């Protein structure tokens, strides 16, 4: 079904879909790992925990996550009194439908190595927590994934990598504790076979940081 969504009319495919205040409040209740997805099978937006989302499932795409909501609640101008939440939801809904075409086109550029890395990180307890960002870095298309640690949700991890995962490139992994930078390291993930060992090293890095914190 993803072929329907990657055309220039993905926005039309979801023309009758809506992100509502009830959905965003449900996302807030779910907490870290909660996501809103565009579901191509139902042509609707759905709220779920990303643990239930198969990263290889091409029919569901994350348009918004708890990590995005956490950031927006901190940044959104509080100028509307009791209607602050409703105005924020309107912005989320309109952006999700208006930008869906571009987001899906960008997502299609992530090669099999990046997809495998996502699977390996999930297998090691890291749940997607936000929509993937696709910045252009030095003329090269790059993606940034956001994760929360399943057993220590105050720990978040970002993975920044070129979409093509060329052999000479590096993947930058950064670890945050309650939003503050805790650790970071570059890894070479040049093909799917190297994704598992890289994800294992990320797990080890996070666990080592948590052990140091437990001793202080």
């Amino acid at each position: 079904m993803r072929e329907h969504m990657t055309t220039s009319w993905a926005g039309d495919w979801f023309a009758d879909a809506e992100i509502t205040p009830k959905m965003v409040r449900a996302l807030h209740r779910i907490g870290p790992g909660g996501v809103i997805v565009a579901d191509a099978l139902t042509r609707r937006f759905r709220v779920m925990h990303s643990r239930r989302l198969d990263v290889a499932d091409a029919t569901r795409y994350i348009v918004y996550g708890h990590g995005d909501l956490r950031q927006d609640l901190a940044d959104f101008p509080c100028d509307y009194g009791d209607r602050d939440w409703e105005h924020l939801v309107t912005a989320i809904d309109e952006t999700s439908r208006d930008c869906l075409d571009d987001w899906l086109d960008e997502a299609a550029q992530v090669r099999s190595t990046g997809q495998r890395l996502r699977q390996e990180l999930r297998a090691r307890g890291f749940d997607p927590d936000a929509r993937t960002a696709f910045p252009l870095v030095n003329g090269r298309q790059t993606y940034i994934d956001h994760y929360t640690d399943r057993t220590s949700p105050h720990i978040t991890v970002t993975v920044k990598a070129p979409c093509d995962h060329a052999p000479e490139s590096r993947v930058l992994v950064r670890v945050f504790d309650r939003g503050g930078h805790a650790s970071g390291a570059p890894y070479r993930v040049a093909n799917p076979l190297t994704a598992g060992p890289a994800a294992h090293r990320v797990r080890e890095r996070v666990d080592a940081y948590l052990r140091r914190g437990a001793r202080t």
Side-chain angles (χ1 to χ4, degrees), residues 14 23 28 39 41 54 58 62 66 73 94 97 99 108 118 125-126 132 141:
F14 288 91
M23 295 172 67
H28 190 263
D39 189 329
L41 297 178
D54 181 358
I62 297 174
H66 185 264
L73 288 175
E94 292 179 351
R97 282 183 285 116
C99 297
R118 288 169 171 170
F126 297 106
T132 299
Q141 190 65 61

Side-chain angles (χ1 to χ4, degrees), residues 24-39:
V24 178
R25 291 186 187 279
L27 178 69
H28 190 263
R29 287 194 300 272
I30 290 173
V35 293
I36 297 176
V37 301
D39 189 329

Side-chain angles (χ1 to χ4, degrees), residues 42-61:
T42 63
R43 300 193 188 192
R44 292 290 184 267
F45 295 117
R46 297 180 56 190
V47 186
M48 64 177 64
H49 196 287
S50 61
R51 208 171 303 159
R52 295 172 49 205
L53 185 65
D54 181 358
V55 294
D57 184 356
T59 67
R60 294 174 178 174
Y61 177 77

Side-chain angles (χ1 to χ4, degrees), residues 7-216:
T7 65
S8 60
W9 48 274
D12 293 336
W13 188 254
F14 288 91
D16 295 327
E18 181 182 8
I19 293 178
T20 65
K22 182 178 180 180
M23 295 172 67
V24 178
R25 291 186 187 279
L27 178 69
H28 190 263
R29 287 194 300 272
I30 290 173
V35 293
I36 297 176
V37 301
D39 189 329
L41 297 178
T42 63
R43 300 193 188 192
R44 292 290 184 267
F45 295 117
R46 297 180 56 190
V47 186
M48 64 177 64
H49 196 287
S50 61
R51 208 171 303 159
R52 295 172 49 205
L53 185 65
D54 181 358
V55 294
D57 184 356
T59 67
R60 294 174 178 174
Y61 177 77
I62 297 174
V63 298
Y64 198 75
H66 185 264
D68 298 309
L69 178 60
R70 185 170 56 246
Q71 187 64 51
D72 283 346
L73 288 175
D75 295 344
F76 194 72
C78 298
D79 298 330
Y80 305 104
D82 292 338
R83 299 184 62 194
D84 281 339
W85 190 272
E86 284 72 18
H87 280 271
L88 174 58
V89 173
T90 297
I92 296 169
D93 176 55
E94 292 179 351
T95 300
S96 296
R97 282 183 285 116
D98 292 347
C99 297
L100 191 54
D101 286 321
D102 291 337
W103 292 342
L104 289 170
D105 286 342
E106 292 167 335
Q109 298 182 49
V110 180
R111 300 295 185 262
S112 59
T113 299
Q115 300 292 351
R116 179 65 177 273
L117 180 59
R118 288 169 171 170
Q119 293 173 335
E120 296 289 351
L121 286 166
R122 171 75 67 82
R124 287 161 178 80
F126 297 106
D127 294 323
D129 191 49
R131 183 183 65 250
T132 299
F134 290 92
L136 199 63
V137 179
N138 297 325
R140 193 174 193 181
Q141 190 65 61
T142 302
Y143 71 93
I144 304 176
D145 283 339
H146 304 260
Y147 300 89
T148 184
D149 188 352
R150 192 174 302 158
T151 57
S152 302
H154 59 94
I155 298 294
T156 54
V157 174
T158 63
V159 175
K160 180 180 180 181
C163 290
D164 59 7
H165 278 270
E168 76 281 359
S169 62
R170 294 290 189 274
V171 173
L172 176 61
V173 175
R174 299 182 67 190
V175 179
F176 299 86
D177 187 348
R178 296 179 176 84
H181 179 75
S183 180
Y187 299 99
R188 177 176 290 181
V189 188
N191 59 67
L193 293 178
T194 59
H200 180 70
R201 290 195 295 273
V202 175
R203 181 75 265 172
E204 288 184 325
R205 177 172 290 272
V206 171
D207 289 347
Y209 173 79
L210 290 170
R211 285 194 298 270
R212 289 195 299 271
R215 291 196 297 266
T216 59

